[in-house]
């Protein structure tokens, strides 16, 4: 599987069924070259002109399964992440 294949899959929170977005980047250990986790960029507001939410990092150990269409994760910080609002409420 390539990074491009991962980027085409939706990331779903296992316990709540919430769609967290899509994988934008990966983190890996430079010494051992092992994957440490994945990064989902925050949602943009008004095409990014009004900022965007914080990025969400999911540890590799929290990824439960990778299917044909989705990546199932059990990330406790994803469920507790409050939506960040811009100055204008978007």
């Amino acid at each position: 599987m390539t990074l491009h294949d991962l980027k085409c899959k939706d990331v779903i929170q296992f316990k709540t069924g919430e769609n967290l977005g899509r994988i934008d980047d990966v983190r890996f250990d430079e010494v051992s070259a092992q994957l440490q986790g994945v990064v989902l960029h925050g949602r943009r507001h008004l095409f990014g002109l009004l900022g965007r939410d914080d990025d969400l990092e999911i540890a590799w150990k929290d990824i439960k399964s990778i299917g044909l269409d989705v990546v199932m994760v059990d990330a406790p910080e994803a469920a507790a992440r409050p939506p960040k609002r811009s100055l204008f409420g978007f």
Side-chain angles (χ1 to χ4, degrees):
M1 177 173 298
T2 65
L3 177 59
H4 183 271
D5 294 337
L6 277 177
K7 289 177 75 163
C8 295
K9 299 175 190 297
D10 289 324
V11 178
I12 305 295
Q13 174 65 283
F14 182 72
K15 291 180 181 174
T16 64
E18 177 186 6
N19 186 340
L20 301 176
R22 293 195 175 182
I23 296 173
D24 294 302
D25 208 350
V26 295
R27 291 207 179 274
F28 66 94
D29 183 11
E30 296 172 0
V31 176
S32 66
Q34 291 182 335
L35 286 176
Q36 299 295 312
V38 295
V39 179
L40 286 68
H41 292 312
R43 295 183 177 115
R44 291 187 258 175
H45 301 282
L46 194 62
F47 306 107
L49 296 173
L50 298 177
R52 66 182 205 188
D53 295 338
D54 294 332
D55 290 348
L56 176 63
E57 294 188 29
I58 299 172
W60 190 254
K61 66 178 180 59
D62 292 331
I63 296 176
K64 298 304 176 192
S65 66
I66 300 175
L68 295 174
D69 297 325
V70 298
V71 176
M72 299 297 289
V73 300
D74 188 12
E77 67 274 359
R81 178 179 66 164
K84 186 176 179 183
R85 298 288 181 196
S86 71
L87 181 64
F88 300 105
F90 295 103

